[in-house]
């Protein structure tokens, strides 16, 4: 999957340049960014009810994120916005594009509007019951796809973005950042509750987020005067993902899947007993790939990317290990390190 490297505004339309897996350069439209422009998350998926106040998020260099998801480019500095926050002693890194997708609920038409000047006024308008209060914010019929998708969550998010000063600035900052050649946002004054649906985990303890879905928003500011009665708590959707306890268990398991020196010393003599194919040193990568699939539920292609081992090589190795009995010995050896297969 590509990584967006730059953005520019041409004839009032955003044009994104992205780098592919093998260094190829492709051009993306704003609507493409719903599914492209960031690598897919793999290995670790699904966590519910992380709550984080955006005022505690710290800006970081986007290059850290790019290298964290193994898309770093030599001699290239990427200027996009990214932030880090800490939750339960674990550090999460979130790029601006992930947050953009979340606030428009992965709606391609809304994402396109996000990169246009003064577009929020084209999308929303207040319906008032009297001059002092706003009954609701409605989606403009000019945005056909959004109007067809009048889900409570989407309407609630747009109402928040339209009615609170820093939320409005957040929306406008996407276009202003694009004019400067970067994908960026000004964080609103709010606390978010969200689920993560894709991430890259590193044994350093960092989690590089690739997709999140908002559960609710709690505004930490007064609404604009025309929306004086607007609630500060905005409910977006019900949580239906894995519990936070399951997520933490996944992260703990991923830490164990790193083939440490102690683990390798225990299993290397077992795997080295047969000539096999390729250098014996590659058995460490093959084992890591196999464990990623069996224990963490990753696909073979995901595991191969994590451990830098081809799918065929790892799958063939597992087949040979099972046939000659070495796999049974390996699984017994791994139990002493808390890895049960």
């Amino acid at each position: 999957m590509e990584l967006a490297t730059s953005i520019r505004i041409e004839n009032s339309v955003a044009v994104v340049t992205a780098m592919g897996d093998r260094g190829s350069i492709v051009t993306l439209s704003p609507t493409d960014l719903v599914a492209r422009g960031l690598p897919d998350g793999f290995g670790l998926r699904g966590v519910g009810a992380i709550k984080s106040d955006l005022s505690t998020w710290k800006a970081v260099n986007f290059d850290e994120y790019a290298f964290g998801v193994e898309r770093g480019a030599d001699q290239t500095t990427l200027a996009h916005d990214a932030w880090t926050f800490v939750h339960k002693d674990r550090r999460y890194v979130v790029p601006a594009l992930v947050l953009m997708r979340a606030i428009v609920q992965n709606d391609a038409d809304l994402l396109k509007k996000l990169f246009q000047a003064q577009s929020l006024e084209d999308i929303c308008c207040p319906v008032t019951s009297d001059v002092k209060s706003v009954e609701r914010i409605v989606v403009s019929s000019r945005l056909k796809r959004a109007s067809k998708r009048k889900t409570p969550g989407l309407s609630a998010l747009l109402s928040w973005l339209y009615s609170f000063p820093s939320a409005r600035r957040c929306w406008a900052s996407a276009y202003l950042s694009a004019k400067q050649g970067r994908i960026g946002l000004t964080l609103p004054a709010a606390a978010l509750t969200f689920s993560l649906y894709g991430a890259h985990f590193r044994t350093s303890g960092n989690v590089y987020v690739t997709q999140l879905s908002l559960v609710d928003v709690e505004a930490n500011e007064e609404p604009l005067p025309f929306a004086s009665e607007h609630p500060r708590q905005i409910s977006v959707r019900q949580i239906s993902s894995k519990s936070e306890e399951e997520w933490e268990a996944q992260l703990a398991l991923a830490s164990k899947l790193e083939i440490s020196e102690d683990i390798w010393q225990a299993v290397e003599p077992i795997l080295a007993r047969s000539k096999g194919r390729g250098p014996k040193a590659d058995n460490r990568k093959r084992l890591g790939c196999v464990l990623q699939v069996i224990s963490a539920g990753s696909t073979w292609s995901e595991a191969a990317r994590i451990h830098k081992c081809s799918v065929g090589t790892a799958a063939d190795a597992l087949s040979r290990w099972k046939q000659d009995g070495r796999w049974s010995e390996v699984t017994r050896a791994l139990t002493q390190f808390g890895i049960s297969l």
Side-chain angles (χ1 to χ4, degrees), residues 27 34 90 105 108 141 154 170 199 217 227 276 299 327 331 339:
T27 300
V34 167
R90 199 176 298 282
Q105 294 209 299
S141 60
L154 180 60
C170 173
V217 177
T299 65
W327 184 243
T331 56
I339 301 177

Side-chain angles (χ1 to χ4, degrees), residues 27 100 109 199 277 286-287:
T27 300
M100 288 178 178
D109 292 328
R277 301 178 186 175
R286 295 166 188 158
L287 178 61

Side-chain angles (χ1 to χ4, degrees), residues 216-238:
D216 62 51
V217 177
E218 183 178 342
N220 294 333
E221 60 181 338
E222 294 292 333
L224 292 164
F226 71 83
S228 59
E229 297 183 10
H230 196 294
R232 291 191 181 188
Q233 190 79 24
I234 297 95
S235 179
V236 180
R237 69 176 184 87
Q238 297 295 317

Side-chain angles (χ1 to χ4, degrees), residues 14-247:
V15 179
V16 180
T17 301
M19 179 177 61
D21 289 342
R22 298 183 179 180
S24 59
I25 303 300
V26 297
T27 300
L28 305 177
S29 69
T31 56
D32 291 331
L33 294 179
V34 167
R36 300 172 68 179
L38 288 175
D40 295 326
F42 54 86
L44 306 170
R45 302 178 188 273
V47 54
I50 283 183
K51 185 173 183 178
S52 183
D53 194 319
L54 296 181
S55 66
T56 67
W57 288 25
K58 307 297 183 185
V60 295
N61 193 308
F62 185 82
D63 286 342
E64 178 190 345
Y65 182 86
F67 281 99
V69 295
E70 298 181 351
R71 290 294 186 277
D74 293 338
Q75 299 179 342
T76 299
T77 299
L78 304 178
H80 309 319
D81 287 352
W83 306 273
T84 181
F85 70 92
V86 177
H87 179 72
K88 290 192 173 180
D89 298 323
R90 199 176 298 282
R91 184 172 179 265
Y92 292 78
V93 184
V94 184
L97 182 53
V98 165
L99 199 55
M100 288 178 178
R101 291 171 176 174
I103 65 176
V104 300
Q105 294 209 299
N106 288 319
D107 186 286
D109 292 328
L110 281 174
L111 194 57
K112 180 180 179 180
K113 284 285 188 180
L114 188 60
F115 293 108
Q116 296 175 0
Q118 299 179 329
S119 57
L120 196 56
E121 299 293 342
D122 294 333
I123 299 169
C124 302
C125 64
V127 176
T128 59
S129 55
D130 55 54
V131 295
K132 294 182 180 180
S133 64
V134 168
E135 181 178 307
R136 64 187 185 278
I137 303 297
V138 298
V139 177
S140 170
S141 60
R142 282 176 287 179
L143 196 63
K144 294 181 180 179
R145 184 173 178 180
S147 63
K148 291 178 181 178
R149 291 184 59 218
K150 281 186 180 178
T151 62
L154 180 60
S155 297
L157 279 174
L158 290 171
S159 178
W160 164 62
L161 289 162
Y162 188 81
S163 302
F164 289 82
S166 71
R168 278 194 169 222
R169 289 193 295 271
C170 173
W171 181 278
S173 67
Y175 170 74
L176 296 176
S177 297
K179 287 187 66 176
Q180 298 171 357
R182 61 188 178 87
I183 298 174
L185 284 176
T186 299
L187 294 178
L192 307 181
T193 302
F194 50 84
S195 298
L196 302 184
Y197 282 93
H200 292 234
F201 175 75
R202 294 291 174 260
T203 54
S204 62
N206 290 339
V207 179
Y208 297 89
V209 180
T210 58
Q211 184 179 355
L212 66 80
S213 180
L214 293 177
V215 176
D216 62 51
V217 177
E218 183 178 342
N220 294 333
E221 60 181 338
E222 294 292 333
L224 292 164
F226 71 83
S228 59
E229 297 183 10
H230 196 294
R232 291 191 181 188
Q233 190 79 24
I234 297 95
S235 179
V236 180
R237 69 176 184 87
Q238 297 295 317
I239 300 173
S240 59
S241 60
K242 295 179 181 177
S243 70
E244 190 169 355
E245 290 74 19
E246 289 177 296
W247 172 255

Side-chain angles (χ1 to χ4, degrees), residues 295-306:
S295 294
S298 302
T299 65
W300 280 106
S301 60
E302 290 170 346
R305 288 172 59 191
I306 294 172

